[in-house]
Every structure is written in C-alpha cells, then in structure tokens.
C-alpha cells in the first residue's frame, strides 16, 4: 500500500513538473513522455517514487534545494518522507564531469524521492522554493 502511495504521488508531482517553464526535462518511466514507458508498464507492477528533474539552470536547482521546507536534502531513498538531492554534489560527488555526462547527470539535475506527504503540500513547497 505504501509503494502504491509513493507511485501515485510521484506521478502527480512529475506530471506537474513537466509543465513548468523552469524545468527542462523530467526523467521518470511512469510518464508517457519517457522513452521506455511501455517497457516499464510491462515489467513493473509499481514504479518507485524516484525521478530526476533537470532545472533550467544550476542556480535555480540550488535555490530550490536551499528554499524547500518539506523536502529533506538527503540521498537516502526509500523513506516515508520526501527527499531531494543534487546528485552531482551528493550521491555522485566522486564522479568526474565526463562520468556524470555519460550517465545523464548534469549540475542542474535534482533527484526527487517522493514520500507520503500531501501532494498539494509538496507542489506548494516546490512553488515557494523556486520563487
């Protein structure tokens, strides 16, 4: 039941983020825009609530991380609370620029792990954090 809640909320938030002008892209196989959406639908009963977002600038990604009030800045995922990180600075900090580029991580990439909080609260937190 918990994983179903993570997935449902993550889909709502990722769909919201796809429509924002300050977002270049959202990478999440639960979205129809993902190139492997059909494969994910066949292979997964539930898509985990973790996805990556590329902000339009490094500064905006950092501003979001600094200003968020609900999302905790951590790279430990699987928690019931929502978390975010800039992989190039935390989980993949030891990777070279070339290694990061090879796996699609840019300095403006933020990884989201969606928890069990209210979707409306999480979206409102995103909105206030980027203003």
């Amino acid at each position: 039941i918990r994983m179903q809640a993570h997935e449902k909320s993550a889909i709502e938030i990722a769909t919201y983020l796809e429509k924002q002008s300050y977002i270049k892209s959202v990478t999440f196989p639960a979205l129809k825009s993902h190139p492997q959406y059909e494969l994910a639908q066949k292979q997964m009963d539930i898509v985990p609530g973790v996805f990556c977002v590329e902000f339009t600038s490094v500064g905006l990604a950092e501003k979001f991380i600094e200003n968020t009030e609900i999302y905790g800045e951590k790279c430990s995922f699987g928690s019931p609370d929502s978390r975010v990180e800039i992989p190039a600075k935390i989980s993949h900090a030891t990777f070279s620029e070339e290694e990061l580029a090879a796996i699609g991580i840019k300095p403006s990439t933020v990884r989201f792990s969606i928890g069990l909080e209210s979707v409306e609260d999480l979206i409102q937190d995103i909105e206030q954090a980027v203003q």
Side-chain angles (χ1 to χ4, degrees):
I1 292 171
R2 178 178 153 202
M3 293 309 295
Q4 290 171 342
H6 285 295
E7 178 190 52
K8 180 180 182 297
S9 295
I11 291 170
E12 287 184 51
I13 293 167
T15 300
Y16 163 81
L17 286 167
E18 268 191 320
K19 298 173 186 172
Q20 303 311 304
S21 61
Y22 53 85
I23 300 297
K24 281 188 179 180
S25 64
V26 177
T27 304
F28 188 36
L31 296 179
K32 291 181 181 178
S33 60
H34 192 277
Q36 293 180 322
Y37 171 78
E38 294 297 330
L39 179 62
Q41 294 300 301
K42 289 177 186 174
Q43 290 183 342
M44 299 181 202
D45 292 328
I46 296 173
V47 178
V50 178
F51 58 87
C52 286
V53 171
E54 184 185 348
F55 280 78
T56 54
S57 72
V58 174
L60 189 54
E62 290 172 346
K63 179 180 180 180
F64 166 72
I65 295 288
E66 289 172 16
N67 292 335
T68 184
E69 295 175 358
I70 297 175
Y71 296 89
E73 183 183 14
K74 296 179 177 80
C75 67
S76 174
F77 299 111
S79 170
D81 57 319
S82 294
R83 298 172 182 222
V84 290
E85 67 148 339
I86 296 177
K89 289 186 169 188
I90 297 182
S91 62
H92 293 71
T94 61
F95 286 47
S96 69
E97 287 183 31
E98 295 79 22
E99 290 170 322
L100 289 171
I103 59 175
I105 294 177
K106 299 178 179 171
S108 58
T109 299
V110 172
R111 184 181 301 154
F112 283 73
S113 178
I114 303 303
L116 300 176
E117 302 91 347
S118 154
V119 169
E120 293 79 17
D121 289 347
L122 291 170
I123 289 174
Q124 184 178 21
D125 192 36
I126 293 168
E127 290 174 352
Q128 70 80 26
V130 297
Q131 295 203 4

